[in-house]
Amino acid sequence: MPLLYTIGKLAVGPTLRLAFRPTVEGLENVPKSGGAIFAGNHLSVADELFLGTVVPRHLAFWAKSEYFKGAGVKGAISKFVLTGLGAIPVERGGGRAALSAFDAAIPVLKNGDLVVVYPEGTRSPDGRLYRGRTGTVRLATSTGVPIIPVGMIGTDKAQPIGARVPRPGAAEIIIRFGKPIDLTGRPTDRTSLRQMTDEMMSEIQKLTGQEYVPRYAPPRAHPDATRTA
């Protein structure tokens, strides 16, 4: 586990647990070793914070590549922090630039680490669960690691859009981990990837109880999560 991640976990984790007392279900489904992909719904920027608090292992999150390239003292600090946390840089553009994030995640997973992906590609604009993009399944089939479905509940109320920090007492936080999804041996043609992605989103929906919308979430002006097209 990266040193800075460990320091943050020891410093912030106990405070969040005490202030919010999140309910955690299915933690036994988190593998104690080996690579895996956490695929969850995305309601708030606080999702990463709470997920990192309750999972005992290191989680590699994606972060916009701009944060690694900033100029001056602020840029240097941002790069130092994200590198120290073990974050994976992702380009905001489409095509080959976006796929570079997945290229960077492959050795992370093969080295036995955990990577977090939000298949919807952005935060839900209205609390519903939107159609998943196939990148998560592509990553799983190319690395041979399982997908752990994750359901976050209440984070959108604890830290709604526009709020700078989570607000204790605003909502009950529930984090649910589903059983690992093993895609070993499954075909990887376009139709199969779509089918496996829909199955994955169904497992996430079972954990959250969200209304499912069979279309992609509308893009945000300033997306904060990896698009997994």
Side-chain angles (χ1 to χ4, degrees), residues 67-83:
Y67 295 149
F68 291 84
K69 303 174 182 177
V73 175
K74 184 177 180 180
I77 293 174
S78 176
K79 181 179 180 180
F80 171 78
V81 170
L82 290 174
T83 302

Side-chain angles (χ1 to χ4, degrees), residues 41-124:
N41 62 321
H42 198 23
L43 297 174
S44 167
V45 294
D47 292 338
E48 294 97 332
L49 197 59
F50 285 104
L51 194 58
T53 296
V54 303
V55 174
R57 296 177 57 192
H58 172 249
L59 298 176
F61 292 95
W62 269 294
K64 290 181 290 187
S65 61
E66 295 96 307
Y67 295 149
F68 291 84
K69 303 174 182 177
V73 175
K74 184 177 180 180
I77 293 174
S78 176
K79 181 179 180 180
F80 171 78
V81 170
L82 290 174
T83 302
L85 292 173
I88 301 172
V90 56
E91 299 288 345
R92 290 176 61 181
R96 183 66 246 171
L99 291 177
S100 66
F102 287 89
D103 293 339
I106 289 174
V108 174
L109 290 166
K110 288 188 174 181
N111 284 335
D113 212 342
L114 305 174
V115 171
V116 180
V117 177
Y118 297 111
E120 293 170 277
T122 186
R123 280 178 291 168
S124 172

Side-chain angles (χ1 to χ4, degrees), residues 107-219:
V108 174
L109 290 166
K110 288 188 174 181
N111 284 335
D113 212 342
L114 305 174
V115 171
V116 180
V117 177
Y118 297 111
E120 293 170 277
T122 186
R123 280 178 291 168
S124 172
D126 52 20
R128 296 185 293 176
L129 183 67
Y130 284 79
R131 191 185 199 204
R133 299 178 182 273
T134 59
T136 305
V137 166
R138 291 177 187 269
L139 186 58
T141 54
S142 64
T143 56
V145 304
I147 296 174
I148 311 297
V150 180
M152 307 291 292
I153 300 173
T155 53
D156 54 334
K157 297 179 176 61
Q159 188 175 358
I161 295 175
R164 300 189 67 177
V165 296
R167 301 175 299 186
E172 179 185 10
I173 304 297
I174 302 174
I175 306 167
R176 293 175 175 149
F177 299 96
K179 294 182 178 180
I181 301 172
D182 184 2
L183 301 179
T184 304
R186 298 281 293 269
T188 56
D189 59 276
R190 182 185 296 269
T191 299
S192 298
L193 289 171
R194 181 72 260 164
Q195 181 181 347
M196 288 185 284
T197 300
D198 291 342
E199 292 172 4
M200 174 186 68
M201 298 308 294
S202 176
E203 292 303 311
I204 295 173
Q205 194 273 337
K206 291 176 184 177
L207 297 173
T208 66
Q210 292 170 277
E211 177 185 349
Y212 180 71
V213 182
R215 65 175 184 274
Y216 295 126

